[in-house]
Every structure is written in C-alpha cells, then in structure tokens.
Amino acid sequence: MKKYSILLIGIFFFNLSFGQDTLSSGLVRAHSRSFVISDNNITGNGWTLIQDAFRSSQFVLLGESHFSPLISQLTKAILDFMPEDGFNHFMIETGPVAVLQLMSLYNANSAQFQSNLFNFLSEYKLTNGFPPSEFINMKADVDMYKKAIERNIKIVGLDREYYSSIEYLFDRLASLTHNDRDKKLSQYAKEALLRHKSAYINDGSYAFMTEVSNDQNIKEYLSVMVETGNEANFIIQELSKTFKVYTMYEAKKYFDSEEVRLANIKSNFGISYNSYFLKEKKPMKAFIKIGNVHSGRGLSPLGHYDIGNTVAELSMMNGNASTHIYAMRRYRYGDNGEVQDFIKNGFEKYEDFIGLSDKEKWIVVDLRPLREAMESRKLVVPVMEERNLIKNHDLLLLLPVDGAYSESLNYQ
C-alpha cells in the first residue's frame, strides 16, 4: 500500500510539472516587439500593440515613470490618433484647477504656449523641485497638451491640487474679490501664506500645509470667499481637499492620506463619466495617463484598490475591456550628457524584463500570453513583483534613453 501511495504522489508531481516553464528573459523576449519614434514618424510592429489597445478597449491606462520627456512624446503620438477610435477624454494626475490654469495659458503658437507655462511655473514655485502644478512642467508637455486641445480632447484633472499650488490658487481667488473688505482679507491671507512659505523654505521639516490650513487669517478669508460665487466656491472646495490629503500626510498618516486622495480621484473620474453619459447616452472612452503605481488591476503595490482597478471593473460591467500599460525606463541622460544605467537602482525586482531595454528602440512586451500561461500553471514566476506585474497589467513599455531631469523642466 505504501509503495502505491509513493507512486501516486510521484505521478501527481510529474503531471503538475509537465509542460511547465519558468519565466526568463528569453521567454519575455519571445513576446516582445519594438518601435521607433523619429521626426513624428513611428515605425515598428510594437506600435500596433498600442494602437490595438485603443481599438479594443473602453479605457487605456498608461502607467508612467514620472518626469519623462519620452512618455510625453509618446502621449502626443497617442493623442494624434485616439479620437478616431472614439476616445474623447484625456485624464491626468493633476488637479481640476490646474487644468483650468493650463487651458488659460494655451496659445496656438508652441513657443508662446511654452513661455506662458514657463512664466507661471517659475513665478509660483514653492521652492526648487516644487512647481505650482504637477505634470504640466516639462518642455515636452507643451506639444502634448497642444495636441489634446487642438484635437478637441477634453483634459480632466483627476487629483487634488499639488502641495505647492496654494499661492497661485490664492491669487486666482484674489482676482474674484469685488469689495474693499474682501480685498483686505485677501491681503492678510496672502501675507500669512508668504510667512509660512518662508518658514518652509528655511526649514524643510516645517509642516507647511498644516500651518497654512490652521492659520486664522487664511480660514477667515476662505470662509468669506466661499460665498462669493461658483468659481471661488470651486477653488475653495479643491483647496479643502488638498489641505485634508496633505495634513494627514504631515501627521504621518500615510495610508489614510492616500485613501482620501484615491477617493477623490475616483470621484473626479465618476463626475466626468456620469456627465458624459447623461449628455451622450453612451459610455465614455478615456485615456488615463497616471503613475504606474496607480495603473494596475487589483491591489496596488501600496495596498490600495486604485483607479486602475476601478476602471477595470467598470469596463467589465459595461461588457467592455480595459488595457493597462506599465512603463519602465532603464536608461537616462545625466546632466553632462552621459547615459546612466539604472538596472540595479530600482528595477532589480524585474530583472527578467528590464534587461530587454534598448537604448534606441521602444520595447513593448505583451504580458497577456504570459498571464494566461501563469494562470493555467504552465508558467512559474518565482519573483512576486514579476507575478504581480503580469497579473495586473497587459503591456509593458521599456523606454529607450530618456531625457535628463533638469534639462527637461520648463521652469526656473
């Protein structure tokens, strides 16, 4: 009897392992394609995978590495063709007021548009590295947003306003004051804000958002301005969301702060979605450009059910699909023009993928056949991070050599 039990166990493990493969860079390469962007022309069969995503999906999420000129260049190319597939919303990881500001600075002349953004970003930055708005502050962003505006694609800010947005938001409010009392309150509030700004610049550990939101001059001013009209009310509503997210963060309630932030992102998405449906009587299609930590199905790497999971479930409820793209960049130019290699500086957990990067070509890895093999137990993926990447995303983008951070910025 014992002999037969051992034989049965042996047969079981033989059958379980039969036909299995283990993830390797060679296997990943077999599911990879490439393309090149040059002089506004795109060549290579990897580009077809990107285009097919828009043809077959209700939502496409591009999980980006932030501050990437190449991602902005790619996004411009996507915006050029996507309305032909019914996509009419471009959603970004910045605030709704920031989008209004962006639109107010638009100019059909690219050089003037860039200059307008440069002046705004430089004037209102909190300190070096803290522009007044996120994800509109690179030189490559200018043509990207110009393309969206000129193709009549609605730009939607999903997030709270940025940490360093308060001064320009106060100035927008000041432009809405209509009497001497409000102007005086505006002056007191601005003076208080500048004192807190100076304290933060002198001491980076200063709880800037907590101090600003609790300042009596500022609280009095906002309580008066909220009654003065729709635009002021809207700005103050967004300010209150910003205060809540960042004061929780400064209190070291990091998980809770992110939960509040994500609830706001989902709410802003829902407002746009429902507004479009009520008007057009059909589901909205949206391209969402957002940090790669937010872009996947299931739990995010930070342990939240993020916007990527929300739109995946919504598309399924509509009988549609969503495509989730994750971007990695191994190479970047340094400030002196040298090519820096980050394969062992942040991406070592994805070594079966990141090693396929090419300095000149974009590499697109189709993760879907790998996921199918993994779920049917024909593929073993020992590294948890690689398993989650395959499970939660559909395509992986490996960037060629990307721009230098300091040279890429459009502010002083």
Side-chain angles (χ1 to χ4, degrees):
M1 185 69 178
K2 185 175 181 181
K3 183 187 298 184
Y4 288 116
S5 298
I6 294 172
L7 179 61
L8 287 171
I9 292 171
I11 292 172
F12 171 78
F13 281 109
F14 174 80
N15 288 336
L16 186 65
S17 62
F18 182 78
Q20 276 191 336
D21 203 349
T22 301
L23 187 70
S24 64
S25 58
L27 183 59
V28 172
R29 185 177 288 108
H31 295 285
S32 302
R33 303 180 191 176
S34 66
F35 65 92
V36 174
I37 304 177
S38 177
D39 298 326
N40 295 320
N41 293 318
I42 304 178
T43 56
N45 56 11
W47 181 238
T48 304
L49 284 174
I50 306 294
Q51 293 177 303
D52 286 347
F54 286 86
R55 297 187 184 106
S56 62
S57 303
Q58 182 180 0
F59 305 112
V60 176
L61 294 93
L62 174 56
E64 65 174 355
S65 297
H66 289 325
F67 309 114
S68 164
L70 285 184
I71 288 290
S72 296
Q73 182 185 15
L74 175 72
T75 300
K76 177 194 171 188
I78 290 172
L79 291 167
D80 196 32
F81 76 77
M82 78 179 208
E84 299 166 10
D85 295 305
F87 279 74
N88 36 46
H89 286 69
F90 175 37
M91 298 183 158
I92 56 175
E93 194 177 346
T94 196
V97 185
V99 170
L100 293 179
Q101 187 72 17
L102 171 72
M103 300 298 289
S104 73
L105 298 171
Y106 167 73
N107 192 287
N109 181 284
S110 293
Q112 186 60 56
F113 189 18
Q114 180 171 335
S115 177
N116 292 346
L117 280 166
F118 177 88
N119 292 334
F120 163 68
L121 295 165
S122 300
E123 178 182 358
Y124 286 109
K125 70 178 181 182
L126 179 60
T127 185
N128 290 336
F130 286 86
S133 298
E134 293 177 290
F135 311 119
I136 66 171
N137 51 46
M138 293 192 304
K139 295 171 185 174
D141 290 341
V142 174
D143 286 339
M144 177 183 72
Y145 288 119
K146 185 172 183 291
K147 178 65 68 175
I149 293 167
E150 292 174 355
R151 297 228 64 186
N152 200 31
I153 298 167
K154 185 175 179 61
I155 303 171
V156 179
L158 292 175
D159 213 343
R160 78 287 179 265
E161 305 301 321
Y162 192 35
Y163 189 83
S164 43
S165 67
I166 312 303
E167 186 175 354
Y168 98 84
L169 294 176
F170 273 31
D171 280 0
R172 284 188 72 109
L173 284 174
S175 71
L176 303 173
T177 55
H178 301 298
N179 57 58
D180 291 340
R181 181 202 64 170
D182 292 353
K183 290 178 181 178
K184 185 64 71 174
L185 290 174
S186 175
Q187 178 187 338
Y188 293 154
K190 182 68 176 289
E191 289 171 353
L193 174 65
L194 293 178
R195 287 195 297 271
H196 294 302
K197 177 180 177 179
S198 178
Y200 176 79
I201 291 172
N202 291 327
D203 178 8
S205 64
Y206 185 77
F208 174 72
M209 200 63 69
T210 302
E211 297 295 335
V212 167
S213 61
N214 288 326
D215 188 286
Q216 288 304 312
N217 285 317
I218 290 173
K219 290 171 73 173
E220 182 181 2
Y221 173 55
L222 297 181
S223 68
V224 169
M225 287 300 296
V226 77
E227 305 294 336
T228 60
N230 290 337
E231 184 177 353
N233 184 270
F234 172 68
I235 292 171
I236 292 168
Q237 282 184 342
E238 295 307 312
L239 264 171
S240 68
K241 296 173 186 177
T242 298
F243 287 155
K244 185 174 183 180
V245 169
Y246 283 117
T247 54
M248 293 177 75
Y249 191 88
E250 288 176 342
K252 303 187 187 310
K253 298 177 180 179
Y254 304 124
F255 187 89
D256 293 339
S257 171
E258 188 69 3
E259 282 286 289
V260 170
R261 180 191 173 201
L262 294 176
N264 182 54
I265 287 175
K266 294 172 187 178
S267 175
N268 285 334
F269 174 86
I271 290 169
S272 289
Y273 185 89
N274 291 326
S275 175
Y276 181 83
F277 187 83
L278 288 172
K279 181 180 178 181
E280 303 294 337
K281 310 302 181 188
K282 61 181 181 180
M284 175 186 77
K285 290 186 173 184
F287 171 39
I288 304 171
K289 175 177 171 286
I290 200 162
N292 51 30
V293 72
H294 307 291
S295 60
R297 302 179 183 85
L299 281 173
S300 77
L302 299 179
H304 305 276
Y305 286 104
D306 217 308
I307 185 65
N309 188 69
T310 299
V311 301
E313 293 188 340
L314 179 58
S315 67
M316 286 189 288
M317 288 172 60
N318 290 331
N320 296 318
S322 57
T323 298
H324 303 253
I325 305 171
Y326 191 104
M328 291 183 193
R329 53 181 174 179
R330 173 178 174 178
Y331 302 109
R332 287 181 63 178
Y333 288 112
D335 289 337
N336 297 320
E338 76 282 8
V339 175
Q340 300 173 336
D341 188 346
F342 291 90
I343 193 168
K344 289 297 182 183
N345 186 8
F347 291 112
E348 60 271 13
K349 294 177 182 178
Y350 301 97
E351 62 182 20
D352 290 309
F353 294 97
I354 194 68
L356 272 65
S357 298
D358 188 285
K359 292 181 180 179
E360 297 178 355
K361 297 178 181 179
W362 293 78
I363 305 298
V364 187
V365 181
D366 191 345
L367 300 173
R368 291 165 293 191
L370 297 175
R371 179 166 65 240
E372 183 178 349
M374 186 174 73
E375 290 175 346
S376 62
R377 299 189 179 184
K378 294 178 181 178
L379 176 66
V380 176
V381 184
V383 179
M384 179 186 69
E385 288 79 8
E386 293 186 330
R387 283 200 305 274
N388 289 338
L389 175 66
I390 294 169
K391 179 181 177 182
N392 296 335
H393 288 82
D394 303 299
L395 302 176
L396 170 66
L397 270 180
L398 299 173
L399 280 63
V401 182
D402 206 357
Y405 177 77
S406 57
E407 293 180 6
S408 301
L409 296 177
N410 187 34
Y411 67 96
Q412 198 171 51

